[in-house]
Amino acid sequence: QVQLVESGGGLVQAGDSLRLSCAASGRTFSSYAMGWLRQAPGKEREFVAAISWTGGSRYYADSVKGRFTISRDNAKNTVYLQMNSLKPEDTAVYYCAASLSWPTVIPRAYEYWGQGTQVTVSS
């Protein structure tokens, strides 16, 4: 089993930045494509960003292109999501997830999930 633990969420003002971190343990981290997904109250969980096993390929949802950057450090078994120019509509619980498949742009493609971290962006 792979365990994923997110951190870095919080309350910020529109236009601010946050960096989320996800620490992995239990299996070989480099074997997995990693993703960030989010879920707002009353809405379905949606894809945000994904990064391939080696970090050479990245996918982003249209809503975050140009503002968010996903990266990974396999030596530290950690994946990051740098979020800039945050908007109120970015408010959600953000989940780190891992998958052996690629590309992984839908929630069902992920086998392992973290507990989530809350990001709240005020107007």
Side-chain angles (χ1 to χ4, degrees):
Q1 185 178 358
V2 173
Q3 184 175 12
L4 304 171
V5 180
E6 302 97 333
S7 62
L11 279 67
V12 298
Q13 191 173 6
D16 287 351
S17 298
L18 280 175
R19 190 176 78 156
L20 306 183
S21 298
C22 174
S25 62
R27 296 289 182 181
T28 303
F29 179 71
S30 61
S31 297
Y32 295 90
M34 300 296 298
W36 287 96
L37 304 97
R38 67 188 182 186
Q39 187 167 22
K43 300 180 69 176
E44 296 290 325
R45 191 168 299 183
E46 66 175 353
F47 169 79
V48 176
I51 187 166
S52 62
W53 305 273
T54 63
S57 298
R58 300 172 180 177
Y59 287 176
Y60 296 97
D62 288 342
S63 60
V64 306
K65 286 181 179 178
R67 299 189 298 120
F68 291 10
T69 302
I70 188 171
S71 61
R72 68 190 297 164
D73 186 339
N74 288 350
K76 296 181 178 179
N77 290 349
T78 302
V79 63
Y80 305 94
L81 184 68
Q82 178 67 45
M83 304 184 293
N84 298 328
S85 301
L86 283 162
K87 305 175 180 179
E89 50 262 45
D90 294 318
T91 296
V93 176
Y94 283 71
Y95 296 91
C96 175
S99 177
L100 290 171
S101 63
W102 183 263
T104 49
V105 296
I106 59 174
R108 291 182 180 179
Y110 292 88
E111 289 88 12
Y112 302 101
W113 295 81
Q115 82 288 347
T117 185
Q118 177 70 47
V119 173
T120 302
V121 185
S122 63
S123 301

